[in-house]
Amino acid sequence: MTRWCDSRLGLWLVAAIAGCGTAAVGVEDCRELENARCEAAVACPDLFQIRDLAACKRFYRDQCLHGLATNAPPGAPTLHRCVQSIGALSSCALKYGEEANVSQCSLKRATTEVMTVCETLQRPETLVDCGFLIPPEPAPTPEVTGGAGGAGGKTATGGAGGTSGAASSTGGTQSSTGGDLGVAAAAGWFTGVI
């Protein structure tokens, strides 16, 4: 009996370990970006309320275990440019104030939406240098169609003045569409007090 239990335990451990894998992309890249954002957020106290920089970095160290919402890591040069742009947002906020417009700081944005430097720090994917943070379009979900309807039942004549009607079954269709999780949901961007 002991031998049987030992072998079952061994199989369970192998199955459990095999199921612990992750398909996270860019875990270390995510940590580098979030560390830069934690440091930059200090320049925007009204929006982010960072009271403990070390706690912010610890929080995102763990949050980044999910990786970036991209199909492939950005690569060192791209990551470096994004981190530099995030640092420039902080410098701009310190120089011109939290309400400074991004255009005052000569940063390239991928959108024409008017945003402050602190709002842009909350949505870094709007910077040209951080455009890789925009999640890829979800793969199209194939339409699922219901099966064919069943055959109708027989009509029968009943006794003593009654008849029974026909029975039938029809099929239907069902469709499924994928949802779009924004960068904030996918990457866990901070918005509260840390």
Side-chain angles (χ1 to χ4, degrees), residues 5 19 24 47-48 54 63-64 67 70 76 98 101 104 108 126 129 150 156 165 171 179 189 193-194:
C5 287
L47 184 59
F48 296 110
Q63 287 297 307
C64 284
T70 60
E98 290 184 62
N101 190 298
Q104 290 177 264
K108 296 176 189 167
T126 62
D129 290 333
W189 304 99
V193 177
I194 294 182

Side-chain angles (χ1 to χ4, degrees), residues 3 6 16 34 59 74 120 130 149 156 175 180:
R3 183 178 263 184
D6 290 343
E34 292 301 342
F59 177 79
T120 303
C130 300
S175 71
D180 179 19

Side-chain angles (χ1 to χ4, degrees), residues 99-189:
E99 296 301 317
N101 190 298
V102 176
S103 62
Q104 290 177 264
C105 304
S106 302
L107 289 164
K108 296 176 189 167
R109 296 201 42 246
T111 178
T112 57
E113 181 182 358
V114 177
M115 295 172 69
T116 67
V117 290
C118 293
E119 290 169 339
T120 303
L121 180 59
Q122 190 172 22
R123 293 182 43 212
E125 71 278 5
T126 62
L127 292 167
V128 170
D129 290 333
C130 300
F132 65 90
L133 293 172
I134 297 171
E137 292 291 323
T141 305
E143 187 173 308
V144 179
T145 306
K154 293 183 178 182
T155 301
T157 303
T163 61
S164 70
S168 69
S169 174
T170 59
T173 62
Q174 174 184 10
S175 71
S176 175
T177 59
D180 179 19
L181 290 177
V183 173
W189 304 99

